[in-house]
Amino acid sequence: KAGVTQTPRYLIKTRGQQVTLSCSPISGHRSVSWYQQTPGQGLQFLFEYFSETQRNKGNFPGRFSGRQFSNSRSEMNVSTLELGDSALYLCASSLGEIENQPQHFGDGTRLSIL
Amino acid sequence: GDSVTQMEGPVTLSEEAFLTINCTYTATGYPSLFWYVQYPGEGLQLLLKATKADDKGSNKGFEATYRKETTSFHLEKGSVQVSDSAVYFCALSAYGGYNKLIFGAGTRLAVHP
């Protein structure tokens, strides 16, 4: 069974631009979560979607947003990019109906801001 | 708020040595606890989990026991291999937080032949 797929794998943007990252969960998984990984702050939770609804959100500014489609695929968008947004963005999926189920991660999108 | 504290790395061991990576947590209620592993250039892979006190999670020779009295979930392996070299993350998922994972800072393990 195919794993979690994130596209693109690498992105280079400049300050002030916006970016959209994509995540395709494992077939049958309805929950998608997003995380930011940086050397300084580690792994931080961005938000989680289940059946197209955002169920939980981390402490990130409003520039970070996401959505989920009816096929469970998810996108996250970052507007007005800042140098500090350079990070590895990880997506994870799970079945989602019951809490605390194991989450399966993609290999991430590495975003570099120049 | 909820948090996870891991021992700082890097941890450097010889092949076949015994491994312990300490993890303690702070949480209200009864969280589920996880260990994830990250190999270079890859995402995180679930290594093992425990959902209630005294549960022991195990996988690929790794073990961890959910100790509520000491709020700990230490990772152990009796004999490490070079292929175990990676970064290990302890994480919790609090009840009511849906699938939000709170991670420790990660511990880098380097195993030498």
Side-chain angles (χ1 to χ4, degrees):
Chain A
K1 165 162 147 172
V4 177
T5 303
Q6 291 188 245
T7 56
R9 286 298 308 276
Y10 303 93
L11 263 180
I12 299 175
K13 293 285 186 181
T14 56
R15 281 181 297 173
Q17 288 187 311
Q18 76 163 17
V19 67
T20 299
L21 311 182
S22 180
C23 173
S24 294
I26 290 171
S27 177
H29 285 192
R30 294 163 61 194
S31 167
V32 174
S33 301
W34 289 88
Y35 294 84
Q36 182 195 64
Q37 185 176 24
T38 61
Q41 299 298 317
L43 281 154
Q44 294 186 283
F45 172 79
L46 281 155
F47 28 65
E48 188 247 4
Y49 287 86
F50 176 76
S51 291
E52 301 179 68
T53 300
Q54 185 181 89
R55 291 198 300 192
N56 205 347
K57 188 177 188 306
N59 296 324
F60 279 81
R63 301 185 296 107
F64 291 82
S65 63
R67 59 178 176 168
Q68 186 181 35
F69 302 95
S70 59
N71 62 357
S72 295
R73 189 177 72 84
S74 177
E75 290 180 347
M76 68 163 281
N77 185 77
V78 188
S79 63
T80 319
L81 287 165
E82 301 176 0
L83 292 177
D85 297 333
S86 293
L88 180 66
Y89 290 88
L90 292 166
C91 164
S93 77
S94 68
L95 289 169
E97 289 90 350
I98 304 172
E99 289 197 46
N100 301 328
Q101 293 174 320
Q103 296 189 51
H104 301 267
F105 284 79
D107 287 338
T109 293
R110 184 165 297 282
L111 175 63
S112 299
I113 312 301
L114 304 179
Chain B
D2 298 344
S3 65
V4 175
T5 302
Q6 280 181 247
M7 63 186 287
E8 288 189 23
V11 174
T12 303
L13 295 173
S14 298
E15 207 166 23
E16 299 184 2
F18 184 86
L19 168 71
T20 300
I21 299 178
N22 290 338
C23 170
T24 57
Y25 67 90
T26 301
T28 54
Y30 302 92
S32 293
L33 302 174
F34 305 86
W35 277 100
Y36 281 86
V37 59
Q38 186 175 34
Y39 297 99
E42 298 184 9
L44 279 70
Q45 298 177 23
L46 177 65
L47 186 57
L48 52 83
K49 69 180 177 77
T51 57
K52 60 183 187 296
D54 300 324
D55 266 2
K56 177 186 281 190
S58 61
N59 185 28
K60 299 181 183 179
F62 290 90
E63 294 183 339
T65 301
Y66 189 143
R67 301 284 188 201
K68 187 163 176 56
E69 63 276 13
T70 54
T71 62
S72 66
F73 193 54
H74 304 321
L75 181 68
E76 297 182 336
K77 186 175 186 184
S79 176
V80 293
Q81 306 299 313
V82 172
S83 56
D84 293 326
S85 299
V87 181
Y88 292 81
F89 292 92
C90 184
L92 71 81
S93 179
Y95 186 79
Y98 298 105
N99 287 314
K100 174 183 178 180
L101 288 170
I102 295 171
F103 287 91
T107 302
R108 182 175 300 278
L109 170 66
V111 180
H112 298 288

